[in-house]
Amino acid sequence: MKRPTIADVARHAGVSKGAVSYALNGQPGVSEATRQRILAIATEIGFSRSNAARALSAATAGAVGLALCRPARTLGIEPFFMALISGVEAELSARSYALTLQVVADPDAEIAVYRRWWGERRVDGVLVCDLRTDDLRIPALEQLQLPAVVIGGPGGTGDLSSLWSDDEAALTETVEYLVALGHRRIARVAGLPDLRHTEIRTDAFAALCQRLGLLDAVTVWSDYTGEEGGRATRRLLSSAHRPTAVIYDNDVMAIAGLSVAQEMGLTVPGDLSIVAWDDSPLCRLVHPPLTALGRDIPAYGAHAARQLLAIIAGEPASRVQDETPQLTPRGSTAPPRGR
């Protein structure tokens, strides 16, 4: 689990450590072409000349990194991430660790942040959120040998440690509950389609609805924001085969869906039942209060932080299944009208 050194740069470039030193410090002794090649290799493997001295003088950084590839405007209204970060912070502060948080524009920028953090010895490890299908961050982190815990899965995490919950089981419980109430036309407003947990939920929903003979079941994709969740709901409720129940991939979209249903003159739960993923205080403040899938998200964040600190301390990588979300029925679900 070591950070890249001058020796690593020299080995990759096929030159001496002295040549690397000349190139990094802008001194004569190497050609311009060689200098540029060495600088490119140093950047690629995450070596930083600006913090080399500090890296030699400090055993650890005393910090854990979290880079989030989400629009900054959405994070402030996303209860899940606020609860997750609070749990991470509680565990880290109890161990005298700090959390370094950065919002990035895309996965390539996130990988660049990891390389800089590791090369400059700014963090001792990272937490990785929003696991994607064929996620390029996983091999990049493996190459850097940067201690990491992926909050997501199962699967798709390579040799890295991971912490995950059983979304398939939670979705199955929800659909079976709605079917028991008498619903046959069930829709789902999903999150970003390239995320691994969205894919797991989508596949589980399709397979379960086919098994139960729910021929009108449909999934539409959104981006977790209230605006897009509302638009998706409006399209669903304007269709010829309007669903009688909708499952939302987060609480923000579910609340927006409730507002759209009421705007269109539909009653909840008489004309439409609504279920939100990731229960939050928001779900209990609206009228009617929303039926929701919930779990202890701060504890989830604390478990991820604890798992990462164990890896930083030298323990082997691990894959841990956390608590499965539990369904809490409230006033937003009922048998469909006319049953």
Side-chain angles (χ1 to χ4, degrees):
M1 295 283 189
K2 68 183 184 68
R3 291 174 173 78
T5 64
I6 285 181
D8 295 323
V9 178
R11 185 175 68 256
H12 281 80
V15 298
S16 67
K17 288 189 289 186
V20 172
S21 180
Y22 291 148
L24 296 177
N25 292 296
Q27 297 175 340
V30 292
S31 68
E32 184 58 28
T34 300
R35 185 189 313 280
Q36 293 303 320
R37 182 164 60 87
I38 290 172
L39 292 175
I41 289 171
T43 299
E44 180 183 347
I45 69 172
F47 177 84
S48 172
R49 63 186 185 277
S50 63
N51 284 66
R54 186 175 70 181
L56 292 174
S57 64
T60 64
V64 162
L66 175 61
L68 294 176
C69 186
R70 291 283 186 96
R73 64 182 177 84
T74 67
L75 291 176
I77 60 170
E78 178 64 77
F80 172 83
F81 277 112
M82 295 301 100
L84 183 78
I85 291 170
S86 73
V88 170
E89 282 275 22
E91 183 66 25
L92 292 180
S93 62
R95 305 278 291 274
S96 299
Y97 262 78
L99 176 65
T100 299
L101 177 65
Q102 184 161 340
V103 176
V104 296
D106 54 54
D108 288 337
E110 187 172 338
I111 291 171
V113 165
Y114 293 147
R115 285 176 173 153
R116 177 169 57 80
W117 279 349
W118 191 230
E120 296 179 358
R121 207 177 190 86
R122 294 185 179 273
V123 300
D124 298 314
V126 294
L127 296 169
V128 182
C129 291
D130 287 342
L131 180 66
R132 297 175 178 82
T133 305
D134 300 322
D135 201 318
L136 297 177
R137 298 172 299 172
I138 303 304
L141 288 167
E142 289 176 330
Q143 181 186 37
L144 288 171
Q145 299 184 58
L146 171 55
V149 169
V150 180
I151 303 176
T157 59
D159 294 329
L160 301 181
S161 290
S162 62
L163 178 72
W164 58 282
S165 62
D166 193 342
D167 282 1
E168 181 176 352
L171 186 64
T172 298
E173 179 187 9
T174 303
V175 173
E176 289 178 343
Y177 164 71
L178 293 172
V179 169
L181 289 176
H183 293 279
R184 303 294 297 173
R185 297 196 303 276
I186 302 174
R188 175 169 160 265
V189 177
L192 298 167
D194 63 332
L195 298 184
R196 174 66 177 148
H197 69 263
T198 303
E199 180 184 47
I200 290 171
R201 295 176 188 180
T202 299
D203 291 346
F205 182 69
L208 181 60
C209 289
Q210 183 177 21
R211 177 168 64 81
L212 296 175
L214 306 179
L215 303 181
D216 291 322
V218 62
T219 293
V220 296
W221 285 268
S222 187
D223 64 356
Y224 295 111
T225 65
E227 294 84 356
E228 288 302 316
R231 290 189 186 99
T233 303
R234 195 170 288 107
R235 290 194 300 271
L236 285 170
L237 299 184
S238 300
S239 65
H241 298 283
R242 174 172 61 83
T244 62
V246 181
I247 304 168
Y248 293 85
D249 264 12
N250 77 346
D251 50 354
V252 174
M253 293 194 298
I255 292 168
L258 172 64
S259 177
V260 166
Q262 294 170 339
E263 162 201 308
M264 295 178 69
L266 300 176
T267 62
V268 176
D271 297 312
L272 180 70
S273 286
I274 289 176
V275 180
W277 207 293
D278 289 328
D279 197 3
S280 73
L282 293 177
C283 294
R284 298 185 287 275
L285 290 174
V286 296
H287 181 76
L290 298 184
T291 295
L293 283 157
R295 54 184 167 172
D296 189 340
I297 298 173
Y300 195 47
H303 297 163
R306 193 175 308 146
Q307 189 177 356
L308 178 57
L309 292 176
I311 294 165
I312 291 170
E315 294 185 18
S318 58
R319 293 172 178 82
V320 178
Q321 180 177 349
D322 207 81
E323 172 191 10
T324 299
Q326 300 296 311
L327 184 68
T328 301
R330 297 195 184 100
S332 68
T333 49
R337 194 184 298 280
R339 181 187 177 190

